[in-house]
């Protein structure tokens, strides 16, 4: 059987997703995904992508068991980037061994992940968008991102020309599957509207059969039972194969996502498929900078690489901020040949510093709304955490939070448990892989709280 190699290694080579123009990259700031592609200059995460490939191989063989991946991480750890990369992986996978199904990633928000109707609508839209994009590619037009209804309208205009171009079979596939699923009346329909819920469900299931569907749930910590028109256990039912069509999912969220999934009866979460993201290793961080500079043809970038790496401290969000600032300054000073020697490296780093500081302020402000003393208590904790090696068992951390909270009068209205949860969601603290101790995962967060100078 032709299974894919599940051992992913990142060799640092440029890929198609890195082909993004400098102007577009700068406009998108620190979030620069390309439509239908992975995030530019994505690096590392070899264990996570290998786990995804293992899951894909199991699904390809028709084994739906344990077909779930859950990724937790603090803000800025690169969860959304990894989700984009999983979607990119799916687009390159061959059809499954069982059923010859094509892979279909379906982005989904946590708000709708517990509603069967919302899940079904998202799947329908993804199918239509995929088929419509293929048809427009035949016509030589680039499909606008995520605008399924617009794509369908444009396809109606192309109907006659597509037939004339010999694309009749593909056009019929779209109108029979995509068009009928969403209820569009374009093209000749051999069936009238469904008259019963059972008939509607059967049609939808038939339309899904050619696809290996994987829901990609972002901000999944927000999943909770009791959503409108939803029911506790929807995702669990999908996961356990209790629906006719092959649907599985990957969830990405803040710390606490595993518990949130348990609250909605998702129980088959196994080692190797539940992962916690932190910073990149040094090699992957360097690859990120090299990919960016190589993609834009930056000359004389050696000192810039080192400055970016020192300030970013291997943290994905910081790498994105400082790279964007660097390319902005280099392009402004040398638009003709991207010569970094003509640009002011100090100005670029200060530009990144301002963006990073704003990022931290926003994170702290969100928590402050729930717990007014969060910032002061976190600041007071930093020296004690550093003295203890930045790593504490939960019981010791709890006692320390209570002691500092009482001494500084910052725990009024919130207890130590709530503070630790808020600290995880802000990225100030993280549960380590041993699940028995906590540490400060973002190296510069503590420095920001203490207003420490940045490394030059």
């Amino acid at each position: 059987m032709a299974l894919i190699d599940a051992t992913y290694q990142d060799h640092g080579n440029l890929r198609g997703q890195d082909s993004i123009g400098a102007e577009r990259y700068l406009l998108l700031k620190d979030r620069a995904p390309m439509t239908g592609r992975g995030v530019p200059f994505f690096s590392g995460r070899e264990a996570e992508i290998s786990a995804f490939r293992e899951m894909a191989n199991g699904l390809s063989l028709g084994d739906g068991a344990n077909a779930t991946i859950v990724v937790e991480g603090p803000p800025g750890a690169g969860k959304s980037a990894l989700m984009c990369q999983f979607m990119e992986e799916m687009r390159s996978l061959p059809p499954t061994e069982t059923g010859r199904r094509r892979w279909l990633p379906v982005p989904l928000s946590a708000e709708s992940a517990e509603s069967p109707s919302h899940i079904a609508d998202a799947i329908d839209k993804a199918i239509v968008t995929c088929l419509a994009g293929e048809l427009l590619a035949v016509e030589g037009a680039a499909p606008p991102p995520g605008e399924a209804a617009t794509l369908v309208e444009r396809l109606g205009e192309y109907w006659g020309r597509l037939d004339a171009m010999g694309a009749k079979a593909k056009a019929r596939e779209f109108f029979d599957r995509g068009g009928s699923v969403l209820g569009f009346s374009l093209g000749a329909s051999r069936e009238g509207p469904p008259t019963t819920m059972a008939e509607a469900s059967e049609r939808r299931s038939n339309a899904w059969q050619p696809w290996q569907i994987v829901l990609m749930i972002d901000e999944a910590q927000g999943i909770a039972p009791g959503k409108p028109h939803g029911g506790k256990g929807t995702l669990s039912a999908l996961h356990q194969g209790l629906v006719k069509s092959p649907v599985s999912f990957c969830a990405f969220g803040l710390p606490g996502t595993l518990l949130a999934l348990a609250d909605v009866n998702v129980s088959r979460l196994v080692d190797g498929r539940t992962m916690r993201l932190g910073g990149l290793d040094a090699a992957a961080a360097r690859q990120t900078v090299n990919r960016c500079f190589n993609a834009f043809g930056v000359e004389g970038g050696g000192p810039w690489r080192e400055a970016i790496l020192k300030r970013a401290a291997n943290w994905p969000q910081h790498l994105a901020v400082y790279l964007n600032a660097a390319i902005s300054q280099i392009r402004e000073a040398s638009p003709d040949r991207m010569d970094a020697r003509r640009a002011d490296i100090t100005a670029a780093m200060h530009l990144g510093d301002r963006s990073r500081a704003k990022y931290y302020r926003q994170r702290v402000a969100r928590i402050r709304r729930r717990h007014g003393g969060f910032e002061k208590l976190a600041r007071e904790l930093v020296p004690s955490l550093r003295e203890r090696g930045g790593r504490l068992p939960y019981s010791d951390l709890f006692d320390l939070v209570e002691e500092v909270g009482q001494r500084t009068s910052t725990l009024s209205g919130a207890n130590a448990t709530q503070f630790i949860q808020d600290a995880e969601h802000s990225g100030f603290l993280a549960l380590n892989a041993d699940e028995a101790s906590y540490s400060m995962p973002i190296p510069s967060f503590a420095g920001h709280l203490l207003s420490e100078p940045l490394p030059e």
Side-chain angles (χ1 to χ4, degrees):
M1 291 184 183
L3 297 180
I4 62 170
D5 181 3
T7 305
Y8 171 72
Q9 289 184 314
D10 183 0
H11 298 292
N13 302 320
L14 288 175
R15 298 157 297 190
Q17 67 196 57
D18 300 324
S19 300
I20 180 172
E23 184 175 348
R24 176 172 171 78
Y25 174 74
L26 293 175
L27 285 173
L28 292 172
K29 298 295 184 183
D30 64 331
R31 288 188 177 267
M34 294 184 70
T35 302
R37 309 297 292 272
V39 173
F41 323 130
F42 177 92
S43 295
R45 305 306 189 198
E46 293 175 332
E48 290 79 8
I49 294 176
S50 295
F52 175 81
R53 290 183 176 184
E54 287 180 1
M55 183 196 80
N57 277 333
L59 289 173
S60 183
L61 297 175
D63 179 9
N66 295 328
T68 294
I69 285 180
V70 181
V71 179
E72 289 187 349
K79 298 182 296 297
S80 296
L82 183 61
M83 186 177 81
C84 286
Q85 199 63 24
F86 279 5
M87 294 172 71
E88 180 74 357
E89 286 278 316
M90 266 185 280
R91 293 185 178 96
S92 64
L93 291 175
T96 64
E97 290 289 327
T98 303
R100 306 303 295 171
R101 296 186 177 97
R102 298 168 58 192
W103 293 84
L104 185 75
V106 181
L108 195 67
S109 67
E111 285 72 18
S112 55
E114 273 302 303
S115 166
S117 61
H118 289 163
I119 292 173
D121 289 345
I123 293 172
D124 290 340
K125 180 178 179 180
I127 292 173
V128 170
T129 302
C130 181
L131 292 174
E134 291 176 358
L135 286 175
L136 290 177
V138 171
E139 185 68 10
E147 297 179 6
T150 302
L151 292 173
V152 173
E153 290 172 5
R154 293 179 63 187
L155 281 169
E157 300 171 4
Y158 292 152
W159 173 260
R161 283 179 287 169
L162 287 168
D163 262 357
M165 294 169 61
K168 184 175 181 178
K170 186 169 282 190
R172 177 56 61 193
E173 178 186 24
F174 172 79
F175 285 106
D176 282 355
R177 291 183 182 163
S180 63
V181 165
L182 286 183
F184 291 104
S185 59
L186 297 173
S189 177
R190 295 190 294 270
E191 299 176 287
T195 57
T196 65
M197 287 296 292
E199 184 183 355
S201 177
E202 184 68 21
R203 286 196 193 180
R204 181 168 256 160
S205 183
N206 290 338
W208 291 359
Q209 282 302 319
W211 307 89
Q212 185 68 49
I213 300 163
V214 183
L215 307 179
M216 310 298 288
I217 306 171
D218 202 10
E219 299 294 342
Q221 75 280 353
I223 290 175
K227 296 290 176 66
H229 313 299
K232 187 172 183 177
T234 299
L235 289 176
S236 183
L238 292 172
H239 177 53
Q240 295 174 21
L242 301 180
V243 294
K244 293 182 180 180
S245 302
V247 180
S248 53
F249 67 92
C250 299
F252 303 80
L254 293 172
T257 297
L258 285 169
L259 295 176
L261 290 172
D263 288 343
V264 292
N265 291 351
V266 176
S267 58
R268 293 186 184 180
L269 304 175
V270 297
D271 290 341
R273 302 280 172 81
T274 56
M275 296 166 280
R276 288 187 173 90
L277 288 191
L280 295 170
D281 61 39
R286 187 168 291 275
Q287 281 180 346
T288 300
V289 181
N290 288 339
R291 276 194 169 110
C292 180
F293 280 18
N294 291 340
F296 294 131
V298 174
E299 301 175 16
W304 290 70
R305 288 185 179 90
E306 300 311 313
I308 291 169
L309 290 169
K310 184 181 291 186
R311 266 176 154 78
N314 301 343
W315 196 250
Q317 196 271 348
H318 295 346
L319 281 166
V321 163
Y322 284 106
L323 279 173
N324 201 278
I327 296 302
S328 172
Q329 294 296 300
I330 294 171
R331 186 168 183 266
E332 182 178 333
S334 180
D336 53 338
R337 53 183 291 186
M338 294 292 284
D339 188 346
R341 291 162 295 200
R342 300 182 186 176
D344 187 341
I345 188 171
T346 301
M349 294 303 101
H350 287 173
L351 179 60
D353 294 344
R354 290 194 294 273
S355 296
R356 189 178 69 171
K358 181 179 179 181
Y359 168 81
Y360 282 134
R361 286 196 300 271
Q362 290 173 338
R363 289 294 172 190
V364 172
R366 290 177 187 175
I367 303 300
R368 193 190 296 125
R369 286 199 294 268
R370 291 180 56 190
H371 178 190
F374 174 84
E375 186 172 8
K376 182 178 180 181
L377 178 53
R379 189 185 307 119
E380 292 290 330
L381 281 171
V382 170
S384 297
L385 287 168
R386 286 176 171 173
E387 288 173 7
R388 304 183 190 201
R391 192 181 187 97
L392 282 178
Y394 177 80
S395 58
D396 291 351
L397 175 64
F398 184 92
D399 292 342
L400 179 62
V401 169
E402 276 203 323
E403 184 272 316
V404 175
Q406 291 172 6
R407 173 165 52 82
T408 58
S409 302
T410 53
L411 276 185
S412 58
N415 59 24
T417 301
Q418 184 64 58
F419 172 85
I420 293 172
Q421 180 181 341
D422 290 342
E424 284 190 87
H425 282 193
S426 72
F428 175 60
L429 293 175
L431 184 64
N432 296 313
D434 59 12
E435 298 190 356
S437 62
Y438 280 79
S439 62
M440 295 183 289
I442 310 178
S444 54
F445 200 161
H448 170 78
L449 290 169
L450 298 177
S451 301
E452 294 176 340
L454 293 169
E456 293 293 343

